[in-house]
Structures are given as structure tokens and as C-alpha cells.
Amino acid sequence: MRLTKFTDLALRAVMRLAVIAQDESVTTREVAESMDVPYAHMAKVVTRLQHLGVVEARRGRGGGLALTELGRRSSVGWLTRTLEGEEEVVACEGDPPCPLRTACRLRGALREAQEAFYRVLDPLTVAELVASPTGPLLLSLTPRPSP
């Protein structure tokens, strides 16, 4: 299974925010630059994470992004499922529908594999993702200077 780029960016953003001290703040632009992704993409990701209650954004002077307590203790499986949606790995009912769909065993096997993928991620929390050596590496990422 391959994650969408959106989910990949969201997981990386959450990890980046998880290592920031409570009294520090970071902007969406700084997160985007440290992850070497376009600001517009990261802004969409941050908006979705806000809607999920995983990230809090404060405006104005002293504002910035913060990971909420829900975000810190969230299951990576839950977060990934939520961001990816309930789509199946294959589109058997697509246009045109697969002629094998009524007697195919592949669809069920792929669904089972997808659930196994999520089951492996379910017990892992965002806080656990940033344990050493990942956390210190994330802290060392600094925004790249603009050309």
C-alpha cells in the first residue's frame, strides 16, 4: 500500500510539531521549509489537521502551530486511516467495473492486507514516533533559506 502525498506530509508535519517545546512556536511556512515542501501544500495539510483537532494554530504575534494533546497521543493508525479515507486498494467498481469483481479473491485479500497495514500502525502513537533517534533529527531541521 502506498500513502498519498497528503498523508505523508501530514505525518511528517505532526512529527515535526511533536518535538517543539511547549513555549516555542513554529509557523506553517517554517514547517514547509524544513520539510522541503511547497507552502501551499503544507497549508492545506495544517488546515485538515486543525479540523481533526490534532493541530492548533494561533494567529498574530507570538502565534504559530502547536500539536494538541490529542495529536500527541493519537494512534498513527487512526491518523493514517482518517487522512487516507476508507478507499479500497483497488477500484473494482470503477468505470468500467472490473469484469472479475463477482468472483475475484484478490479484492478480499487486498482489503485484508490493508487492514493488516493499519493494525501495525494502530498501537504506535505520534509521541512514540519522535523518540530518539527521530526526535533529535527533527529538531536539527531548520528552514532552508529562500533563494
Side-chain angles (χ1 to χ4, degrees):
M1 184 174 158
R2 185 177 180 96
L3 297 178
T4 61
K5 185 69 171 174
F6 187 88
T7 300
D8 175 41
L9 290 177
L11 292 172
R12 289 194 280 155
V14 166
M15 290 170 63
R16 179 70 174 99
L17 294 173
V19 297
I20 295 171
Q22 297 280 354
D23 60 340
E24 291 181 39
S25 66
V26 63
T27 66
T28 301
R29 185 166 307 283
E30 289 168 335
V31 173
E33 289 173 358
S34 70
M35 295 292 160
D36 200 21
V37 298
Y39 168 78
H41 293 338
M42 189 57 71
K44 289 176 187 174
V45 165
V46 167
T47 298
R48 178 79 162 108
L49 293 172
Q50 279 182 271
H51 287 281
L52 293 175
V54 173
V55 170
E56 176 184 70
R58 295 165 297 208
R59 294 183 176 264
R61 187 178 181 121
L65 303 175
L67 194 62
T68 64
E69 188 55 35
L70 170 65
R72 196 168 303 287
R73 59 182 166 78
S74 286
S75 157
V76 177
W78 170 79
L79 192 52
T80 304
R81 254 189 212 93
T82 303
L83 294 167
E84 287 290 308
E86 294 297 320
E87 295 289 319
E88 291 190 60
V89 177
V90 292
C92 301
E93 304 299 329
D95 186 28
C98 176
L100 302 175
R101 73 188 178 285
T102 58
C104 182
R105 298 176 72 192
L106 179 60
R107 183 181 196 176
L110 289 173
R111 184 67 177 167
E112 190 176 326
Q114 184 179 27
E115 283 307 312
F117 173 81
Y118 289 131
R119 268 194 310 276
V120 169
L121 297 175
D122 282 339
L124 186 62
T125 66
V126 170
E128 291 170 329
L129 276 182
V130 297
S132 190
T134 306
L137 176 61
L138 284 165
L139 285 171
S140 73
L141 297 177
T142 55
R144 291 178 174 38
S146 299

